[in-house]
Amino acid sequence: MELRHLRYFVAVAEEGSLTLAAEKRLHTAQPSLSRQIRDLEYEVGVALMNRSVHGIELTAAGRAFLDHARLALTQAEAAAEAARRAAQPAKPTFAMGFQTGQEIDWLPRATSILRDELLNIEIRVSSDHSTTLADDLQRGKLDIAFLRREQKPDLEYKVVAKEPLVVILPSDHPLAEHKAIDPRDLVGETFIGISEIPRVLRAAVNAFLKRAGIELTPHLEIDNFAMAISLVASTRGVALLPASADNFLTWSVVSRPLKGKTPTIDLVIGYHRANTSPILRTFLSRIDDLTARMSGNTRGDR
C-alpha cells in the first residue's frame, strides 16, 4: 500500500465519483484510477466501495478506512514538513520588550536599525511594566527592552529619550483651554496618582510636585496609561503622565504641557551586560544613530 493509493481513495470518497475524482482532483484517466482503487481493495482484503450508475458509495469497511486514510495523509505531510524545517538552520531569535505604550513609537524604529538582518533573524516582541521587563532581562528572556531605569544588578542602560511629563485632563475641562498649564492650577482638582508598580514614574511625579512646592493628594492611583485615561474621563480628574500617554488618548481626554521648566522622565534601553548576542551588539552599535535621527521628532519631544 502506497500513499498515492490513500490519496486516490480519499479523492474518490469525497467526490462520490471515479470520473469527477480523476478529472477534477487527480488529473488522471478514469480507467487508471479504477485500477488503483482495485489494487487498494486487494491489498486491504475487503471491498471499500460500491459502484453503480448513481456513483460511488462507501461500504462500512470503506467508511472506517476513510478516517484512517485521512489521518495517515495528514501525518505523512506533517512528517515531510518537519523534515524540511529540520534541514533548514534555525534563525537566531532577538527578543525585544517595550514598556506598554512605547512599542507604538519605538518598535518601528527598533526594527528599522535591524533592517539588513530581518530576513535572517526572528524577532519576538512583548510589552509590560518596566519592573517586569527588567526581571525578564535579568533572566535572559529578553535581549533588550525599552523601559524606565530600574535598579537591577547586571543591567546596563542607555538613554534614548527624555519624555516630558504632561497634564492629562478631560477635553471640556476649563484648564484644557490653556496652551500650557501652571502646575499650581492643579491644586484642588481630583488628582489621579501613580501606584507603586510603575515606581520610577511615581518617583518622578512626586519629585516634580515637591520641587514645585505643590501637595496633591491622589483620589485614586493607577498602574498603567489605559487605566489613567479611563479614570480621568470618568472622574473628571487630572493626571501627570509621560507624553507617550498621548498614544492612549480618546476624544474625551487631552494632554497639555506644563508651564515653566518641563519635568522629564528617561526612557532607556536596557540589556544584560553578560548577553553575548551578536544581534544585540549590532543593535547597540546603531542605537546612537537612531536617537540622533529621531531627536526632536519623538512624541516625548513634542
Side-chain angles (χ1 to χ4, degrees):
M1 189 184 305
E2 300 179 11
L3 286 176
R4 61 186 172 87
H5 290 127
L6 301 182
R7 283 194 291 270
Y8 292 163
F9 173 76
V10 170
V12 173
E14 290 178 348
E15 294 296 337
S17 165
L18 284 163
T19 301
L20 290 177
E23 294 177 354
K24 291 174 56 180
R25 298 274 293 273
L26 302 172
H27 308 293
T28 187
Q30 189 268 334
S32 174
L33 178 57
S34 296
R35 286 194 300 272
Q36 298 292 339
I37 298 298
R38 285 196 299 271
D39 290 345
L40 175 62
E41 290 178 316
Y42 178 80
E43 184 71 26
V44 175
V46 296
L48 301 175
M49 298 178 175
N50 289 323
R51 301 157 179 82
S52 71
V53 294
H54 301 294
I56 295 293
E57 291 185 359
L58 296 182
T59 64
R63 289 192 295 272
F65 187 79
L66 178 60
D67 290 338
H68 290 280
R70 285 171 170 157
L71 178 60
L73 290 173
T74 299
Q75 291 177 328
E77 179 56 34
E81 179 60 26
R84 287 191 288 266
R85 288 198 304 268
Q88 298 174 349
K91 291 183 177 181
T93 299
F94 189 63
M96 295 192 293
F98 295 85
Q99 180 177 303
T100 302
Q102 295 292 349
E103 67 275 16
I104 298 173
D105 285 330
W106 287 97
L107 177 57
R109 299 168 187 170
T111 53
S112 73
I113 63 175
L114 291 174
R115 60 185 178 276
D116 296 334
E117 288 77 21
L118 287 180
L119 292 177
N120 300 314
I121 65 175
E122 178 182 345
I123 291 182
R124 295 178 184 171
V125 177
S126 61
S127 65
D128 215 315
H129 293 293
S130 279
T131 51
T132 302
L133 295 176
D135 288 341
D136 288 346
L137 286 171
Q138 282 192 306
R139 297 189 186 104
K141 294 174 65 176
L142 291 174
D143 292 296
I144 204 159
F146 288 72
L147 72 168
R148 305 302 177 195
R149 192 187 300 268
E150 302 288 341
Q151 297 304 313
K152 296 282 187 178
D154 302 321
L155 296 188
E156 299 283 348
Y157 296 107
K158 293 172 69 72
V159 176
V160 293
K162 290 185 175 292
E163 282 193 86
L165 295 181
V166 297
V167 182
I168 306 295
L169 68 168
S171 56
D172 60 351
H173 193 287
L175 291 176
E177 297 180 2
H178 300 191
K179 290 185 177 180
I181 295 176
D182 189 317
R184 291 171 295 184
D185 291 339
L186 301 179
V187 176
E189 297 290 338
T190 299
F191 182 60
I192 309 301
I194 311 297
S195 75
E196 293 183 354
I197 295 177
R199 54 196 176 202
V200 178
L201 175 57
R202 178 187 176 99
V205 170
N206 289 343
F208 165 67
L209 294 176
K210 185 176 180 180
R211 288 195 306 271
I214 298 170
E215 184 174 347
L216 299 178
T217 302
H219 176 67
L220 293 165
E221 292 186 339
I222 57 88
D223 56 22
N224 62 71
F225 289 167
M227 184 187 300
I229 304 306
S230 176
L231 288 177
V232 166
S234 61
T235 68
R236 296 194 55 77
V238 299
L240 290 171
L241 295 177
S244 54
D246 283 358
N247 291 321
F248 294 84
L249 296 186
T250 63
W251 64 269
S252 62
V253 179
V254 296
S255 69
R256 294 290 183 266
L258 287 158
K259 281 185 178 179
K261 185 177 181 181
T262 305
T264 62
I265 182 171
D266 288 348
L267 178 69
V268 301
I269 56 167
Y271 58 95
H272 198 292
R273 62 170 60 102
N275 189 334
T276 59
S277 164
I279 309 171
L280 174 61
R281 290 198 301 270
T282 298
F283 188 93
L284 293 175
S285 71
R286 297 172 182 172
I287 193 67
D288 288 339
D289 292 340
L290 172 65
T291 54
R293 290 199 309 270
M294 302 311 299
S295 178
N297 294 322
T298 65
R299 287 185 182 270
D301 294 327
R302 290 208 297 268

